[in-house]
Amino acid sequence: MFRYKKHIFLLVLTVILLAACGGGGTKSEQADCAPNCEYTDMTFCYPQLGAESDWRTANTASFKETAGELGVRLIFSDAQQKQENQISAMRSCIQQEVDVIGLPPVVEDGWDAVLTEAQNAGIPVIIVDRSVSADTSLYASHIGSDMVLEGERAAEEFNKAMPDGGAVLELSGTTGSGAAVGRAEGFRNKLNDNITILDSQTGNFTRAEALPVMQAFLQKYTPGVDFQGIFIHNDDMGIGAIEALKAAGVQPGDLFIVSVDGTRGGFQAMVDGWFQADVECNPLLGPQVMEMALKLMNGEEIDREVLTNETVYYPDNAAELLPTRKY
Ligand code: AHR
């Protein structure tokens, strides 16, 4: 009899503990309005990582414009390239019981705890733009560019332009970010063995930080002698680098320069003869992400990974395309 009572007691205790571990997850994966939720029912949280580049400005505008057009309530914040700010913004959104979070992660690592908190609260997270290293079970989907492919495409441009080999510099993006890690990996995957990467330094995806990095490179290495090309992880850093190159007397076309993004600034650099190719990275993700957010609210099936279809732009039609660029 005593043994029987003890078992009942343990069972009740286990049920209580399991409920507590659920983190108060009262919200289900699909919203109360499912299966008929509309955009006007949605509160969408977008803890933007910063405002470091023209690409980022266009990405922010895409989310704000899409939310405005669809009638989605948007909770937007700018983390100023600091992961701790993004995590606080996410926690605030979890407290406000938003319907869906779109997270553009500044770096790949360190998201497990806050993703688990969102999951326990029943709030689906769509990883936007850069990737995370967290287990895929912690988020609903990833929508963004294939950063490895972008790096590979850049390498192929150098392989074509430098068949006899040479040396290149790399101006890399934010250390530990999915964009910088992926582009660096892809570049190394495809670069011919006869082309060496002489040096690689980060310019944190900004013009302001790329300028002194390029100046330091030019103190150390002679353009055209020690290196023949530069792979630059985004157009903003490219524009910062051009300032340093101009000041050092380098002329457009003296070096083979490949950048990433395809912003208006990048197109102008192709028109001016500085960039020989610009690998596209599309920031206009708002409509796609919000469409997926609505599907999640309605409990519909979604793809776990959606990679943006992109291309490479060249100087030959850059002047013609420049006025049509949306960012
Ligand atoms: O993650 C996308 C990258 O971040 C873009 O290439 C860059 O311009 C931005 O800052």
Side-chain angles (χ1 to χ4, degrees), residues 20 24-25 32 63 107 123 136 154 191 194 196 200 227 236 260 289 309 319:
D32 293 344
F63 279 83
V107 289
I123 301 173
T136 51
L191 197 66
N194 61 1
T196 54
S200 175
F227 68 101
D236 281 77
V260 184
V289 172
N309 211 354

Side-chain angles (χ1 to χ4, degrees), residues 52-53 55-56 129-130 147 179 183 205 233-234 261 281:
E52 75 284 1
S53 63
W55 188 102
R56 192 63 53 196
D129 163 31
R130 305 175 184 175
M147 307 296 185
R183 288 169 193 169
F205 281 129
H233 282 206
N234 83 339
D261 275 357
C281 180

Side-chain angles (χ1 to χ4, degrees), residues 178-230:
V181 172
R183 288 169 193 169
E185 183 191 323
F187 193 60
R188 284 154 183 77
N189 283 349
K190 286 280 154 111
L191 197 66
N192 282 347
D193 287 345
N194 61 1
I195 304 175
T196 54
I197 302 170
L198 179 64
D199 206 339
S200 175
Q201 300 292 332
T202 179
N204 205 19
F205 281 129
T206 71
R207 292 178 196 200
E209 286 166 88
L211 175 72
V213 175
M214 196 64 231
Q215 284 169 333
F217 276 151
L218 292 167
Q219 294 278 319
K220 247 170 123 180
Y221 311 112
T222 308
V225 177
D226 296 325
F227 68 101
Q228 290 75 39
I230 318 173

Side-chain angles (χ1 to χ4, degrees), residues 13 92 94 101 128 172 201 210 230 283 313:
L13 190 68
S92 157
I94 293 168
I101 297 173
V128 180
S172 136
Q201 300 292 332
I230 318 173
Y313 298 108

